[in-house]
């Protein structure tokens, strides 16, 4: 029995040989079409970035068309990606497949008209590029990044925070935890259940700078874990004690919510039941500038909405933690290109792509 593809080729040859009319060809073609969206991928032209409009690039990839080569150079994207089973994909196309997949909770079959690839290949290419970016760039946010966290830069951040009304003159960033909801797991439900948010999820800890960059990200951990426990596991405070000093040797600090302990390099609000007017004013001023960390959490899921579609985030079938870290790196890419609400609030421009990835 002939396959759909072979039947379509026979019909086309019959029409070209004038054996059947155009009406008969159209009717027989419709009757011998597959309902599977993965089938007609070869009917679409190969992906070509030049054929994409500016509006399509910004909507599909979150990056303007003329900036995609800059992102490629900054990330040092390979000329070709080779999947485990042998599928080969050009670097530009692989990057665009990843950006399209995470920009919106679409199905791989919805991406066929853009990239002209079957679902299986789109899935493998996206996973391969995700793994590559994680392996080569996750250290920029999972470890202490001296490029953006050197003493001179720390002083610049602290000055921007102080000018915005913070009473602390040595605070260079803000720390907080976030819960990313996932599909209810079949096992370990208690470990992943967060009672405060009332969802099953994974937790991450972020340190945000006033220039809008995520400088440190730790996770994923179980959804039920407390922020203070996550801080202890992350080793962040040890890094602060070692590296968070000004050019004159004075300690610099980050600021967190009441869940965090009070240490030299980690400040928190006053937590007594009865506060003096001065303490209330201190808490209010620091709370006003600390809200910037929440803005950045929102930016990640707003620009990469796939992370906000918990039905597709399943422990086991999906690399949920790796995807969030990769999207956080990509969010820093977008911040370097287009700034964000946090950097605008503090009037502090982020570094260029070249400087950040140097």
């Amino acid at each position: 029995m002939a396959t759909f593809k072979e039947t379509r080729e026979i019909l086309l040859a019959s029409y070209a040989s004038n054996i059947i009319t155009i009406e008969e060809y159209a009717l027989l073609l419709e009757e011998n079409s597959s309902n599977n969206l993965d089938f007609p991928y070869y009917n679409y032209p190969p992906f070509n970035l030049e054929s994409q409009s500016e509006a399509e690039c910004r909507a599909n990839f979150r990056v303007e068309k003329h900036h995609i080569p800059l992102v490629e150079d900054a990330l040092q994207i390979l000329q070709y990606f080779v999947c485990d089973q042998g599928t080969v994909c050009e670097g530009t196309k692989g990057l665009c497949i990843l950006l399209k997949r995470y920009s919106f909770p679409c199905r791989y079959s919805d991406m066929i008209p853009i990239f002209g690839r079957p679902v299986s290949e789109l899935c493998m290419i996206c996973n391969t590029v995700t793994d590559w970016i994680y392996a080569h760039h996750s250290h920029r946010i999972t470890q202490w990044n001296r490029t953006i966290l050197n003493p001179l830069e720390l002083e610049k951040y602290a000055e921007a925070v102080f000018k915005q009304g913070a009473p602390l003159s040595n605070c260079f960033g803000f720390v907080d935890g976030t819960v990313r909801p996932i599909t209810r797991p079949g096992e370990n439900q208690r470990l992943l259940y967060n009672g405060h948010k009332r969802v099953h999820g994974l937790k991450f800890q972020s340190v945000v700078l006033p220039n809008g960059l995520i400088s440190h990200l730790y996770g994923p951990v179980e959804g039920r874990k407390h922020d203070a426990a996550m801080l202890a596991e992350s080793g962040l405070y040890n890094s602060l004690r070692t590296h968070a000093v000004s050019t004159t040797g004075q300690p610099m600090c980050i600021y967190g919510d009441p869940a965090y302990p009070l240490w030299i390099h980690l400040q928190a609000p006053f937590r007594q039941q009865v506060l003096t007017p001065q303490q209330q004013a201190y808490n209010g001023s620091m709370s006003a500038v600390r809200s910037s960390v929440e803005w950045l959490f929102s930016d990640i899921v707003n620009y990469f909405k796939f992370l906000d579609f918990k039905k597709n985030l399943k422990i086991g079938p999906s690399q949920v933690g790796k995807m969030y870290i990769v999207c956080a790196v990509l969010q820093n890419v977008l911040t370097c290109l287009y700034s964000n609400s946090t950097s605008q609030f503090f009037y502090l421009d982020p570094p260029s792509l070249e400087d950040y990835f140097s």
Side-chain angles (χ1 to χ4, degrees):
M1 183 177 179
T3 64
F4 280 118
K5 183 176 181 180
E6 291 170 344
T7 302
R8 291 163 68 94
E9 291 175 348
I10 293 172
L11 291 175
L12 182 59
S14 299
Y15 170 69
S17 302
N18 296 321
I19 298 175
I20 59 176
T21 65
I22 183 65
E23 291 80 7
E24 291 172 329
Y25 172 71
L27 180 61
L28 291 171
L29 186 65
E30 182 178 356
E31 291 181 353
N32 288 276
S33 296
S34 171
N35 292 324
N36 183 0
L37 289 175
D38 192 24
F39 170 71
Y41 70 90
Y42 53 79
N43 288 338
Y44 297 100
F47 174 76
N48 182 7
L49 182 61
E50 295 302 320
S51 66
Q52 302 288 311
S53 68
E54 289 287 352
E56 287 175 329
C57 283
R58 193 64 189 263
N60 289 328
F61 313 133
R62 303 302 189 196
V63 179
E64 294 180 2
K65 183 176 177 178
H66 63 282
H67 283 152
I68 289 181
L70 298 180
V71 176
E72 279 189 85
D73 292 341
L75 294 174
Q76 298 179 341
I77 294 295
L78 300 177
Q79 186 176 1
Y80 292 96
F81 287 103
V82 182
C83 302
D84 291 338
Q85 102 305 352
T87 294
V88 179
C89 177
E90 295 178 358
T92 302
K93 186 174 183 178
L95 175 64
C96 291
I97 288 174
L98 177 139
L99 291 173
K100 172 61 178 176
R101 175 61 169 168
Y102 293 152
S103 295
F104 199 77
C106 61
R107 298 169 297 181
Y108 283 116
S109 57
D110 299 328
M111 298 164 58
I112 292 176
I114 301 177
F115 298 104
R117 292 263 191 162
V119 165
S120 57
E121 291 187 5
L122 291 172
C123 179
M124 286 182 287
I125 292 168
C126 183
N127 290 337
T128 299
V129 180
T130 298
D131 291 342
W132 189 89
I133 292 178
Y134 179 85
H136 290 81
H137 296 291
S138 63
H139 67 277
R140 300 182 188 278
I141 57 176
T142 58
Q143 301 175 20
W144 189 269
N145 189 343
R146 292 179 179 271
T147 302
I148 58 174
L149 294 175
N150 57 70
L152 192 61
E153 293 296 322
L154 296 183
E155 290 180 345
K156 186 189 302 183
Y157 304 147
E159 182 181 2
V161 173
F162 182 71
K163 285 183 177 179
Q164 202 57 29
L168 291 175
S169 60
N170 65 334
C171 176
F172 68 87
F174 307 94
V175 62
D176 199 5
T178 184
V179 180
R180 294 311 319 146
I182 60 172
T183 299
R184 182 175 179 175
E187 300 178 356
N188 301 321
Q189 292 186 19
R190 290 187 177 182
L191 289 175
L192 298 174
Y193 185 74
N194 183 277
H196 179 62
K197 300 292 185 180
R198 297 185 179 181
V199 295
H200 291 89
L202 298 175
K203 290 193 73 172
F204 296 85
Q205 172 186 275
S206 290
V207 176
V208 174
L209 301 176
N211 62 1
L213 291 178
I214 301 169
S215 65
H216 192 275
L217 180 68
Y218 174 73
V221 299
E222 312 90 283
R224 73 172 187 176
K225 187 152 290 186
H226 193 270
D227 286 355
M230 195 161 46
L231 174 70
E233 287 184 6
S234 68
L236 173 62
Y237 192 73
N238 291 332
S239 297
L240 290 170
R241 287 194 300 181
T242 304
H243 304 291
V245 293
S246 67
T247 55
T248 59
Q250 299 300 312
M252 308 293 285
C253 72
I254 56 177
Y255 186 85
D257 61 25
Y260 292 96
L262 183 62
W263 291 327
I264 293 176
H265 296 281
L266 176 58
Q267 297 295 303
F270 290 100
R271 285 167 283 201
Q272 297 93 321
Q273 291 184 351
V274 180
L275 300 178
T276 66
Q278 292 82 1
Q279 291 172 335
Q280 292 177 356
Y282 173 89
N283 285 356
S285 299
M286 291 305 300
S287 177
V289 292
R290 197 194 72 85
S291 60
S292 60
V293 69
E294 302 290 348
W295 302 342
L296 205 49
F297 287 148
S298 298
D299 285 344
I300 294 176
V301 295
N302 284 337
Y303 283 103
F304 302 102
K305 290 185 179 295
F306 185 86
L307 299 175
D308 206 27
F309 188 60
K310 71 176 186 179
K311 290 185 178 180
N312 268 1
L313 303 179
K314 302 176 182 179
I315 298 296
S318 302
Q319 306 176 90
V320 182
K322 183 179 291 185
M323 287 190 297
Y324 189 86
I325 293 173
V326 167
C327 287
V329 172
L330 295 175
Q331 177 59 43
N332 277 356
V333 169
L334 296 183
T335 299
C336 291
L337 287 174
Y338 310 118
S339 184
N340 58 25
S341 55
T342 300
S343 63
Q344 293 166 10
F345 176 76
F346 288 104
Y347 301 100
L348 189 61
D349 293 331
S352 65
L353 269 181
E354 293 79 7
D355 291 339
Y356 178 69
F357 285 96
S358 62

